[in-house]
């Protein structure tokens, strides 16, 4: 039987104008029910994602690639397949024309049927948040408890792949949507490092300097997109996309890298520790094995 998750009967989301609201949702008392609903919503997300991609404006990948430092001499250079997933997610959410992104433009022109699963996903896309999340606890086979380091709140992120490889205390940069009670990652999550690592400290200090005296909840959509741009660009510059792998539910630790479609396809990104540990050092995941025989063998 699953573990009770009664404490997650409310789910915080962010309005586009920056105001926080709380959505009351039906109680899900077992992880099994939570995962079942997650899979249904993920399928709905896959269908909606395909429609959104078809409605991306011309040259958007060049525009997004330029912003993220991936366009070099007018050529889009993607060193890993995971960078394409990051770029796709970025173009959908953060490339704005006249302050409007592809998601808002599509949903305005083609609103989904009210009350449908697609409508639930669509509403959550409007209130998606990009942030730095520290993993505080892990529910194997289900998801992780992750602290939003910019806003301070704790989310339960349903992510079967991530739950198989996550390391407590590790920080990831990712975008979260929250349909109903279920927080879900979109696109590709980028590993940052442990909370005290120079890379993480630099990103946090940069984000706080960018926001100034304004709470992150109160930043305009345009400013949040600019903040997302700076975080993603810095992560890519540090080679974060090279430390992302994917797993299929039930197949254990990842053995190779693959393409992860936003809201679709395989389980979302599983984060591998960086290469700071020596091959004969203990693995940072706490397994007790040497790094070379644990996560260091996954590349």
């Amino acid at each position: 039987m699953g573990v009770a998750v009664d404490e997650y009967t409310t789910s915080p989301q962010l309005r586009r104008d920056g105001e926080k609201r709380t959505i009351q949702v039906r109680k899900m008392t077992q992880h099994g029910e939570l995962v079942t609903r997650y899979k249904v919503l993920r399928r709905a997300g896959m269908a909606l994602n395909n429609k959104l991609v078809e409605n991306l404006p011309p040259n958007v990948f060049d525009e997004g690639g330029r912003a993220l430092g991936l366009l070099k001499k007018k050529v889009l250079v993607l060193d890993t397949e995971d960078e394409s997933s990051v770029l796709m997610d970025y173009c959908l959410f953060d490339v704005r024309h006249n302050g409007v992104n592809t998601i808002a433009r599509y949903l305005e022109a083609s609103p989904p049927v009210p009350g449908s699963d697609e409508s639930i996903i669509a509403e959550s896309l409007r209130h998606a948040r990009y942030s730095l999340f520290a993993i505080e606890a892990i529910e194997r086979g289900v998801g992780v408890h992750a602290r939003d380091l910019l806003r301070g709140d704790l989310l339960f992120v349903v992510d079967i792949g991530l739950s198989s490889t996550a390391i407590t205390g590790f920080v990831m940069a990712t975008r979260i949507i929250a349909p109903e009670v279920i927080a879900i990652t979109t696109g590709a999550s980028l590993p940052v490092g442990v909370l005290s690592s120079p890379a993480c400290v630099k990103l946090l200090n940069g984000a706080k300097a960018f926001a100034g005296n304004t709470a992150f909840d109160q930043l305009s959509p345009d400013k949040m997109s600019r903040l997302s741009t700076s975080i993603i660009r810095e992560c890519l510059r540090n080679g974060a996309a090279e430390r992302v792998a994917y797993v299929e539910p039930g197949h254990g630790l990842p053995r190779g890298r693959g393409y992860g479609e936003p809201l679709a396809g395989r389980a979302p990104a599983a984060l591998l520790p960086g290469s700071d540990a020596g091959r004969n050092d203990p693995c940072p995941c706490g397994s007790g094995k040497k790094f070379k025989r644990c996560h260091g063998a996954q590349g």
Side-chain angles (χ1 to χ4, degrees), residues 2 4 9 32 35 69 74 77 116 121 131 148 151 199 218 232 252 264 269 276 287:
T9 55
V35 171
K74 299 183 179 181
V77 179
S116 64
I121 289 290
S131 192
D148 185 333
R151 298 169 182 84
Q218 301 299 320
I232 297 170
D276 292 341
S287 66

Side-chain angles (χ1 to χ4, degrees), residues 196-262:
S196 60
S197 67
C200 187
V201 171
K202 181 179 180 180
L203 285 173
L204 283 172
N205 288 341
K208 291 175 182 177
F210 177 87
N213 294 324
T214 304
F216 289 100
D217 290 359
Q218 301 299 320
L219 292 177
S220 68
D222 280 341
K223 286 189 175 181
M224 277 308 307
S225 286
R226 282 158 48 197
L227 178 58
S228 300
T229 302
S230 65
I231 292 174
I232 297 170
R233 187 182 178 105
E234 182 66 20
C235 287
L236 293 177
R237 184 184 293 119
N238 292 335
E242 298 174 5
R243 303 205 309 274
V244 179
Y246 291 82
V247 296
E248 298 287 355
H251 288 266
L253 291 172
R255 289 293 176 182
R257 298 183 176 92
Y259 178 72
E261 297 175 288

Side-chain angles (χ1 to χ4, degrees), residues 261-283:
E261 297 175 288
L263 303 176
R266 311 180 196 193
L271 307 184
L272 302 182
S275 57
D276 292 341
R279 286 179 53 77
N280 291 312
D281 292 339
C283 185

Side-chain angles (χ1 to χ4, degrees), residues 71-285:
L71 190 70
K72 301 172 183 178
K73 296 182 179 180
K74 299 183 179 181
V75 176
L76 194 60
V77 179
L78 300 174
D79 293 328
T80 71
E81 291 184 69
D82 302 292
E83 287 183 351
S84 66
S85 186
V86 173
L87 178 60
M88 180 76 73
D89 179 82
Y90 177 81
C91 289
L92 287 172
F93 285 92
D94 292 319
V95 175
R96 296 176 178 273
H97 296 154
N98 298 320
V100 180
N101 64 13
T102 294
I103 293 169
R105 188 165 49 251
Y106 173 79
L107 295 178
E108 179 70 23
S110 305
V113 177
S116 64
D117 289 335
E118 185 178 81
S119 176
I120 293 171
I121 289 290
E123 183 66 12
S124 70
L125 293 177
R126 292 181 185 273
H127 307 292
R129 65 167 81 178
Y130 197 92
S131 192
L132 299 169
F133 295 89
I135 298 172
E136 294 194 354
I138 303 166
E139 302 283 352
R140 296 296 181 189
V142 182
V144 300
H145 302 263
R147 177 79 59 184
D148 185 333
L149 296 177
L150 301 186
R151 298 169 182 84
D153 54 334
L154 184 67
L155 302 176
F156 183 63
V157 182
V158 181
D159 188 324
I160 298 171
L162 180 58
S163 75
S164 300
T165 59
I167 300 171
T168 302
F170 205 73
V171 176
M172 61 182 180
T174 193
R175 197 181 312 274
I176 297 289
I177 62 172
E180 298 180 340
V181 73
I182 305 170
I184 305 173
T185 57
T186 73
S189 300
L190 294 171
V192 175
V194 295
L195 188 57
S196 60
S197 67
C200 187
V201 171
K202 181 179 180 180
L203 285 173
L204 283 172
N205 288 341
K208 291 175 182 177
F210 177 87
N213 294 324
T214 304
F216 289 100
D217 290 359
Q218 301 299 320
L219 292 177
S220 68
D222 280 341
K223 286 189 175 181
M224 277 308 307
S225 286
R226 282 158 48 197
L227 178 58
S228 300
T229 302
S230 65
I231 292 174
I232 297 170
R233 187 182 178 105
E234 182 66 20
C235 287
L236 293 177
R237 184 184 293 119
N238 292 335
E242 298 174 5
R243 303 205 309 274
V244 179
Y246 291 82
V247 296
E248 298 287 355
H251 288 266
L253 291 172
R255 289 293 176 182
R257 298 183 176 92
Y259 178 72
E261 297 175 288
L263 303 176
R266 311 180 196 193
L271 307 184
L272 302 182
S275 57
D276 292 341
R279 286 179 53 77
N280 291 312
D281 292 339
C283 185
C285 74

